[in-house]
Amino acid sequence: MLTPERLTEMRRADNGALNFVSMRAFEIIARAVEAEVRKQDDALIRQMLEALKTAGCYPPSSQAAIAAAKARLAES
């Protein structure tokens, strides 16, 4: 999650490359990128979860992966 502190840190790390972009515009762009990445992550996790469920047998490692996937999707 992009906190205000993390956004400020990212803005300072650009070494002036984004001088023409205001802090507010930078925040809007960063949050849009974060949302898109989150959306793609959720889709991949759902796809993995579905594949594990249709596989039928659940070795311990699959059970842990299924639990982790469900927990991650619950955050969204």
Side-chain angles (χ1 to χ4, degrees), residues 1-55:
M1 188 77 95
L2 288 176
T3 63
E5 294 80 19
R6 179 67 181 127
L7 285 168
T8 299
E9 182 182 307
M10 289 167 61
R11 178 78 169 140
R12 287 185 182 141
D14 76 9
N15 294 321
L18 297 174
N19 280 337
F20 61 93
V21 178
S22 72
M23 185 59 186
R24 181 67 186 135
F26 180 80
E27 181 180 347
I28 290 167
I29 293 165
R31 291 198 187 282
V33 169
E34 179 185 40
E36 184 60 29
V37 169
R38 178 69 129 186
K39 184 174 119 182
Q40 291 177 13
D41 283 353
D42 287 353
L44 287 171
I45 291 168
R46 280 190 192 91
Q47 187 177 22
M48 178 198 72
L49 186 57
E50 195 58 38
L52 288 170
K53 285 180 178 180
T54 58

